[in-house]
Amino acid sequence: MTVPTRASIKIGSKVNIVQKEDQASGHLTQGKVERLLTKSPSHPHGIKVRLDTGEVGRVQSLS
C-alpha cells in the first residue's frame, strides 16, 4: 500500500491517519486536514498532518 504524497493532500481533505499510539495496532482515525506538518514532498510512513479535531498523525489514505 502506497501512502499519498504531500501534493495530493489539501487543507480540508478527508483522510485516514494513524496516530503514534496506534502504529502497532494499525487503527486508523478519519478526519479533515487542518494543517500539513511534514515539509518534504513524500515520507515513507506518510505525511504528518493535524486534523480539525487536533489529532496528529500520518496520512495512510484519502477518504
Side-chain angles (χ1 to χ4, degrees):
M1 180 167 133
T2 61
V3 295
T5 61
R6 190 176 197 278
S8 64
I9 303 167
K10 306 291 182 210
I11 303 297
S13 298
K14 278 191 160 185
V15 295
N16 293 310
I17 64 166
V18 64
Q19 296 181 62
K20 183 80 169 177
E21 60 271 14
D22 295 331
Q23 286 177 342
S25 68
H27 178 262
L28 297 178
T29 304
Q30 188 177 38
K32 287 185 181 178
V33 176
E34 179 181 274
R35 185 164 177 225
L36 297 167
L37 302 175
T38 300
K39 299 293 184 199
S40 64
S42 65
H43 190 281
H45 301 294
I47 299 297
K48 190 179 280 189
V49 298
R50 176 178 291 119
L51 300 180
D52 57 0
T53 57
E55 296 166 305
V56 174
R58 295 194 179 272
V59 176
Q60 300 301 299
S61 63
L62 301 173
S63 300

